[in-house]
Amino acid sequence: MKIPGLSVAAIGTCLIAGCASSTTEAVMRLDPARAASVGLGEVVVTNASGVESDTLVQTMTAAIRDKIEECATGNVPTRFEVTVTEMKGQNAAKTMLLGDSNRARGSVKLIDMASGATIGDYDLNHSKGSGGIIGMIALADAERNMGNAFGDQICDKVIAGR
């Protein structure tokens, strides 16, 4: 049986295609005039997801901190309090056969460390789906992937205001 090249390409695309979705909703918007002065003081991650994990807080803290170090370059030390309220990693077998996703929801509060005042408060949501062997690999290490996604959202949507 001969399979046309276009069919093979279409099947291959379906097996490795993925999609990602992120939303960042302001509860209390960071004043754009103040955003340039935000500097990284500390990152505190709290797991309120109900998921029992020995590594979630540590892994997400490191991933978020690495991202925020790149964009929070101001002179006002700021504490980023991240609360993870939902965390779901892929099921590898399901990803291989049908496709699956990683999903995280939570919030971030920006606290001016000198005054203790909340200067920003945002709800964060990120989902990344994929399928097949490459999808399974791309979705591996959900805690780090979702930490990177939250860090990107904090930089792009909260600090840069895009």
Side-chain angles (χ1 to χ4, degrees), residues 15-58:
L15 290 175
I16 63 171
C19 60
S21 170
S22 292
T23 58
T24 308
E25 301 287 332
V27 175
M28 182 182 132
R29 189 169 304 282
L30 173 65
D31 180 355
R34 191 170 195 173
S37 67
V38 169
L40 177 59
E42 63 182 358
V43 175
V44 178
V45 175
T46 303
N47 179 7
S49 69
V51 172
E52 292 186 27
S53 171
D54 295 333
T55 59
L56 186 139
V57 169
Q58 181 180 2

Side-chain angles (χ1 to χ4, degrees), residues 7-18 95-96 98-99 130-132 135:
S7 296
V8 171
I11 291 168
T13 300
C14 289
L15 290 175
I16 63 171
T95 302
M96 286 283 298
L98 304 170
S130 195

